[in-house]
Structure formats: structure tokens, C-alpha cells
Amino acid sequence: MTTNDNRRPRGALEAAVMTALWAAQAPMSATEVQHELGGDLAYNTVQTILTRLHEKNAVQRRLDGRRHTYWPVVDAATAAAAQMKAALGERSDRHAVLQQFAASLDEADAALLRQVLAGTERRRR
Amino acid sequence: MTVAVYLPLLLGLPLALAAPWIAARGAPGPAAWALSLASAIAAACSTWSLALLALTMLDDVPPLAALDNHPALELPEPVPGPVAFMAALVLIGGAARLGIDAHRRVTTHRRLRAIGDARQQAEAGMVVADWETPMAVAIPGTARRRGHLLVTTGILRLLDAGERRVVLAHEHAHLVHRHHRLTATAAAAAALNPLLIPVRDAVAYLVERWADEDAAAEVGDRGVAARAVARAALAASGSPASAALGIDGGVVVRRVQALTQPAPTPHCRRLAIPVLLSVILLGVAAATTEAFVHLAQAWL
């Protein structure tokens, strides 16, 4: 279970936990975070990372019964979004200089991608 | 001055024609490097040729012009005046485009780097923006700080855990391999010599493919990588903010299709084309420089 723990640096683990919390849109327990990350991290590792993130004020937590649940602090992310919109929104040509994950599509391309997606979904089952 | 001085202006063309073919097969890393370096050499040589052509106007500078009309001296008329003038204009145009491109690149990265606090950037290597538009961007570092990722909650909520890992690994690969340098080099070359625009686009495509392959290897599943790219692109195409993106969607389709096929083999023989063209360009540039020096000595 812990094979990946050593391979991934600490920052990458924090990032993985943060992305899981952001994706969830609801408070999560350490067990839920561990499950969401595909179970390739040990429970103790996840718990340690969550505690550290809480100490850094990156996540908030509350006691639900006998366990803590965690959710991300939104203030910084809201501010980041405003700055990002300001930096990118006004000038579309700024996008061209960035290495960003995926760009826009026309209708024919979108149809092709849906086909590919349907193909990979079928193979997965 | 011989016709050789015009050769570097044209040699960008075979490179531009070969670039999409080179980018379409084989491992993306070596191809990205080869094309980026070849485009830099092609742009440097064509710019040098333009500069030499423009410098031949010097014989019209009054003191030298007086010498030129001296009946006792037989000076060669190397380049017709209008050609030299045109070369100067093209040179100025290229310099202006280069300035605009570099300025836009630097200011965009600087503004995005200012987002989030420095400790968070350094420790987690990631800043999250609470914005529904699905985006993930690699922000290159500077001399003093490492690069980091800027991701929106939109893309995190769109994808499952495996796909999110693909996105992070993909953007991380951009940072680790310093892809921004390769793309910036090819973009600068294309700004100086517009014949090289297809080479710039090929390099931009290749670094995305490179990061895709790295991400697929890290996650250990090409199918998950293909799905992550496809789903992010499909979601991005629906949002108004991305409608203005300057990158054509066909690129994403080719990336997804490449990920649905087995990992590429090196295929390094095709890289002989950019290498050979670079060698020819440097040789021609050296020869024309020598011819120009002889000419200048005859004038003075």
C-alpha cells in the first residue's frame, strides 16, 4: 500500500490531497481522502498531510463524531481566481504563450473526442 | 555578394515543410529539441542575411558614396538598392514582432506568478484558483524560485482522481523539462522569420505530447491519460473564456489519438533533416559573411 509514498515528493502528496479536497465540494475524512486517491497512500500518510495542511491554514477541519473532516480554505483560492481572471480575461492572446492543459475545440473535433472517450470507457469495463 | 546571401532566407521553408511530418511520429522529446534548435539557427541565419543585405546600403552613405563614384575605383555593385531597403524593412518588422512576443510572454508569466503566496507556491508547488473555467497552467520558475502549477477548481471537479494526477503530472513535466524555453525559442524564431511559423506550432505540439507521455508513464495508464486530455478539452470548449484561445483544437485530437496508441519508439533518423539543414545554414552564413568582409574591404 505504501509503495508510492516514497516515490512521490512531499509537495506532490500535499498537492494530491488538496486537489482531492477541492474536487469533493464537501468536507472529507482522512479515510475518504485516502479512498479518493485510489488507496495508493497509507492512511497514516494521508492523516499526517491533512494535519500539516491544517497547521498551514490551507484546510479547515471540524470534529464529526469521533473523526475530523477537512475542507479547503477558500479565501486564498477566491483571490487567486480574481487575479487569474484579471491576468487572462482581458487579453485572449495571453493564452497563446501558456503551457496549459487543454485548449478549445471545434464541433468536428469534439465529436471525435467523444468517440475516443466512448471507446476507452468500453475498454475499461 | 553572391546569391548565397539569399539562401538562408529560403532554407526556413524546407524546415517548415518537414516540421509537421517530423512531429507526427516518434518520441516527442528529441524532435522538440531538434526543431527548436533548428528554428533558432534558421532564424539567426536569415536575420544575419537580412542584416548583410541591409548593410550594403552603406555605400550610399555620403562619404562612401563619394568614394563609389570615384572613376578610378571600380567597385562592385553587390545588391540593388531597393533589395537592400526591403531587407532593412523586413528586419525592422521581425524585430518589432520579436519584441511584442517577448513582452507578452514575460508579462503574462509575471502576472500569473504573482498569484498565490510564495510559501504555498514553493511548498505544495501548486496554487488553486476557485474558478469554474477548467484550466491548468504551468508557471515557469525564475532564477531564484522554482516553477509551480496554477489550477482551477473547475478542472479539479471535472476529473476523477486518476485523471487529476495526469493533469498534475503533465504540467509538472512542462516545468521539469523547461518546455517554456523550447516554445519561447521557436516562437522568437517565428517572429523573426514568419516562414518558421509551422515549426513553432510543431514545437508547441511536441512539448504537449512530451508532457502527455511523461504523465501517462507516471500514472502507468495511457487510457487514463487519454481520457484526462479529452475530457478537459471537451469541457473547456464549452466555456466562453476558452473560446478565444489561440490554439487549434485539432492538436488536442491528435494528442488523444496518440495516447490511445502504444508509446512511441525513438524514430531518431527523421531528425537528420533539421540537423542537416542547420549545418547547411551555418555553412552558407559563414560563406556569405566572408564574402561580405571582402566586399567591405574593397569599399574602404
Side-chain angles (χ1 to χ4, degrees):
Chain A
M1 287 297 265
T2 59
T3 46
N4 277 346
D5 293 15
N6 301 327
R7 206 160 53 80
R8 290 208 247 171
R10 201 181 82 181
L13 293 178
E14 284 187 15
V17 169
M18 280 309 291
T19 55
L21 290 175
W22 273 113
Q25 288 185 276
M28 287 171 106
S29 68
T31 317
E32 284 166 339
V33 172
Q34 185 199 13
H35 182 74
E36 170 65 18
L37 292 177
D40 59 340
L41 293 179
Y43 175 84
N44 283 342
T45 310
V46 174
Q47 185 59 62
T48 309
I49 294 165
L50 282 168
T51 307
R52 200 154 53 210
L53 287 170
H54 181 250
E55 281 163 6
K56 286 194 217 171
N57 288 324
V59 302
Q60 287 180 291
R61 72 178 179 197
R62 66 159 179 256
L63 210 53
D64 266 359
R66 291 174 56 191
R67 49 170 211 179
H68 278 111
T69 54
Y70 300 81
W71 67 97
V73 171
V74 283
D75 301 1
T78 308
Q83 281 174 290
M84 203 171 163
K85 284 175 203 170
L88 294 172
E90 73 205 49
R91 297 258 309 267
S92 62
D93 61 351
R94 289 190 189 276
H95 290 275
V97 306
L98 298 175
Q99 253 129 30
Q100 57 172 352
F101 190 64
S104 64
L105 297 167
D106 66 27
E107 214 16 74
D109 291 331
L112 247 168
L113 282 191
R114 283 190 203 101
Q115 254 176 26
V116 174
L117 268 180
T120 59
E121 296 289 342
R122 221 175 298 126
R123 228 171 299 146
R124 192 152 57 143
R125 264 164 230 151
Chain B
M1 208 98 85
T2 59
V3 286
V5 72
Y6 298 102
L7 211 50
L9 303 180
L10 295 176
L11 279 175
L13 207 56
L15 189 62
L17 290 174
W21 176 78
I22 291 168
R25 70 212 78 221
W33 267 100
L35 285 179
S36 179
L37 286 179
S39 76
I41 290 171
C45 290
S46 67
T47 303
W48 182 232
S49 276
L50 287 174
L52 292 182
L53 286 171
L55 280 171
T56 60
M57 276 196 294
L58 281 180
D59 72 341
D60 296 330
V61 174
L64 291 172
L67 195 69
D68 199 8
N69 296 332
H70 200 286
L73 267 175
E74 214 172 286
L75 283 175
E77 181 60 62
V79 175
V83 171
F85 185 67
M86 279 296 292
L89 284 185
V90 174
L91 202 58
I92 292 166
R97 279 192 302 271
L98 179 65
I100 291 167
D101 181 73
H103 178 259
R104 195 176 61 182
R105 206 166 283 277
V106 169
T107 51
T108 304
H109 283 152
R110 189 192 300 140
R111 292 187 65 173
L112 292 179
R113 202 174 286 127
I115 299 173
D117 69 279
R119 204 188 66 170
Q120 184 191 10
Q121 290 174 359
E123 285 180 6
M126 184 183 74
V127 172
V128 176
D130 195 3
W131 187 14
E132 68 277 13
T133 300
M135 272 181 85
V137 187
I139 317 272
T142 60
R144 269 171 302 155
R145 45 209 276 210
R146 285 191 312 155
H148 66 275
L149 313 185
L150 179 58
V151 294
T152 62
T153 50
I155 200 165
L156 297 179
R157 285 168 187 166
L158 177 73
L159 305 175
D160 69 29
E163 293 160 352
R164 287 199 301 271
R165 221 179 133 197
V166 170
V167 173
L168 298 190
H170 173 105
E171 298 302 328
H172 193 65
H174 282 321
L175 296 179
V176 169
H177 300 300
R178 300 181 191 282
H179 285 162
H180 65 284
R181 292 190 182 170
L182 297 180
T183 49
T185 302
L192 286 170
N193 182 350
L195 284 179
L196 298 172
I197 287 173
V199 185
R200 175 196 69 190
D201 295 345
V203 171
Y205 167 70
L206 282 166
V207 298
E208 294 305 328
R209 281 278 305 121
W210 186 350
D212 283 345
E213 288 298 332
D214 265 30
E218 177 167 341
V219 176
D221 186 340
R222 300 180 69 77
V224 173
R227 267 205 309 283
V229 177
R231 290 184 61 190
L234 281 172
S237 72
S239 73
S242 67
L245 297 193
I247 311 159
D248 87 278
V251 167
V252 175
V253 174
R254 277 185 286 147
R255 280 169 57 194
V256 172
Q257 281 170 339
L259 283 169
T260 57
Q261 271 139 43
T265 48
H267 253 297
C268 279
R269 235 180 298 167
R270 75 219 147 101
L271 302 183
I273 297 171
V275 171
L276 200 66
L277 283 171
S278 300
V279 170
I280 294 173
L281 275 162
L282 290 172
V284 171
T288 49
T289 307
E290 202 188 352
F292 182 83
V293 169
H294 281 306
L295 200 67
Q297 279 168 346
W299 273 333
L300 300 173

